[in-house]
Amino acid sequence: MSSEPVRILVTGATGFVGGALLRALRCRPGAEARGIGRRRVPDGDIASIDLCRPVTATFATEFRPDVIVHAAARASQWGSRAQFEAQNVDATANVLDLARRTGLPRIVYVSSSSVFYRPADQYDITEETPIGPDYLNDYARTKHAGELLVREYPGEWVIARPRAVFGPGDTTLLPRIIAAAAAGRLPFIGDAAAPAVGDLIYIDTLVDQLIAAALRPGLSGTCVNLTNGEPVPLMPTIGRILAELDLPAPTRYIGRGTALGLAAAAETVWRLGRLRGEPPLTRYAVWLLASSKTFDVSNAERLFGAPSVSMDDALARTIAAVRSDARATR
């Protein structure tokens, strides 16, 4: 057996998922990990590279990876079509071009469960559930476009589709909810008597599964849905988190149809007015909070085993981390 370390390149290394993955790989014996990030950070192993443009030959020859985990993306519910095309499609094409010039390393593409979403409740989604031709937003559409590029790659590839990643270091999902609750702008969306249920995935569980996807032999050509395998009632779970953080829980109730109308109006105002930032509510967010989305993850459990962290432990760890961050910023 070779004693050489496995060289792993992580894109999106200054983001939530890529950053957590890079930190875990640095602690793993037998792995040599480096990263690419959009932001410039004081870390000699993370190169600041805009993946929307072709990666230079110099970088390609400096570190010839055995595996590339492509976690970089515009992981947002809002933005222009051009932004999503550049950051999710063009960037993936450039990563694959880099891979072709560096010996065809294995590609692990971090896609999204949103490629499956329909404007309806969906239960027990599997890897065989039809995708497209319509999508809830440009994020889902361009993540699937990236998948199609990966499928044409001549080397080994794995497509991972995580659902609603959360945990310490999250910069999108929970921070948005906390900010809205703190400002008194978070309503209960949907049917309070029968709230939507959905799968989530804790960051440590996802990192463990991505490492397995990167290192385990015999996975080429695999597409796998990744969740914690424990669907939760969404709005009540948000209420529990807020209560434990001493933040106001939602008291106003808005039905799904009403919320979709309000979101459509907000999106129109933002687009026509070319306003900065995101609307206070989007139709995509309504469908995430007020429609059930559950997954059959038997394939992931067969490949990677049971999730490494239960949902109860994951929620407890997340709440503790938010409390600790709040104390540190006082």
Side-chain angles (χ1 to χ4, degrees), residues 3 95 119 138 142 190 194 235 249 294:
S3 60
V95 168
D138 282 330
T142 53
M235 291 303 301
T294 66

Side-chain angles (χ1 to χ4, degrees), residues 194-285:
V197 297
D199 275 300
L200 312 172
I201 188 165
Y202 184 59
I203 184 63
D204 290 2
T205 296
L206 176 59
V207 164
D208 290 341
Q209 292 173 334
L210 289 178
I211 290 175
L215 300 178
R216 190 163 298 173
L219 295 183
S220 185
T222 297
C223 298
V224 59
N225 299 335
L226 303 178
T227 83
N228 252 78
E230 299 177 71
V232 298
L234 295 174
M235 291 303 301
T237 299
I238 290 171
R240 168 190 165 184
I241 293 171
L242 295 175
E244 296 202 32
L245 293 173
D246 297 320
L247 289 169
T251 56
R252 294 177 293 126
Y253 295 86
I254 301 177
R256 189 164 72 185
T258 300
L260 286 168
L262 293 171
E267 289 178 12
T268 299
V269 169
W270 248 251
R271 291 203 188 278
L272 292 179
R274 299 180 182 271
L275 302 180
R276 301 186 65 173
E278 297 182 358
L281 188 64
T282 65
R283 284 169 292 181
Y284 183 72

Side-chain angles (χ1 to χ4, degrees), residues 72-122:
R74 183 177 182 84
S76 172
Q77 58 181 297
W78 189 251
S80 70
R81 174 162 291 211
Q83 287 173 316
F84 283 107
E85 286 285 342
Q87 295 175 37
N88 292 348
V89 184
D90 296 347
T92 299
N94 289 330
V95 168
L96 295 173
D97 177 64
L98 171 66
R100 289 184 177 92
R101 291 184 283 129
T102 53
L104 297 179
R106 175 183 289 194
I107 297 291
V108 178
Y109 176 60
V110 183
S111 185
S112 167
S113 64
S114 66
V115 301
F116 293 110
Y117 295 172
R118 298 281 186 266
D121 296 322
Q122 294 172 273

